[in-house]
Amino acid sequence: MPRSPAPYAARCSGFRRVGGPQPVQVLADHFDMRRPSLYEHLKVLREAGLVSEQRSGRQRIHRLEAAPLAEVQDWLQPYERFWRGRLKDLGALLDRMPDDGVT
């Protein structure tokens, strides 16, 4: 079954840096963008299943839905183990190399 790229593309958003459910205005205060652009980003995140929206009076409260990111983590885990080992080996090699005094 092919996987949708939406959760992977949306993962790069800075939205996850803002803690807890927030109204759009509070989210907008954290980003250097106009509100229409923020709404567009939130729409992409909502379509990817990474953000949910709830109306509270005239406000729209947005909440991060992190569960789909577990799928990303599962997909990345073998690569993370691979690169962690490679970088450890590289560090050990560099530690064994003589310092030639070049800066």
Side-chain angles (χ1 to χ4, degrees), residues 81-101:
R81 280 194 308 261
F82 171 81
W83 284 109
R84 189 177 308 230
R86 295 293 177 152
L87 291 173
K88 183 178 176 184
D89 293 345
L90 176 61
L93 175 65
L94 292 173
D95 288 342
R96 289 191 310 267
M97 292 178 67
D99 186 10
D100 60 6

Side-chain angles (χ1 to χ4, degrees), residues 12-68:
C12 296
S13 168
F15 181 80
R16 65 186 179 278
R17 291 179 285 171
V18 180
Q22 300 288 329
V24 172
Q25 182 56 48
V26 173
L27 292 172
D29 292 344
H30 291 276
F31 299 98
D32 186 25
M33 68 175 64
R34 296 178 185 252
R35 197 174 299 187
S37 297
L38 180 62
Y39 276 115
E40 201 58 36
H41 284 276
L42 289 171
K43 178 183 173 188
V44 170
L45 292 169
R46 224 175 20 258
E47 290 172 354
L50 295 174
V51 170
S52 62
E53 178 183 280
Q54 179 182 7
R55 291 188 183 253
S56 176
R58 292 181 1 177
Q59 289 187 332
R60 295 179 183 183
I61 308 297
H62 292 83
R63 174 189 313 271
L64 176 66
E65 301 296 340

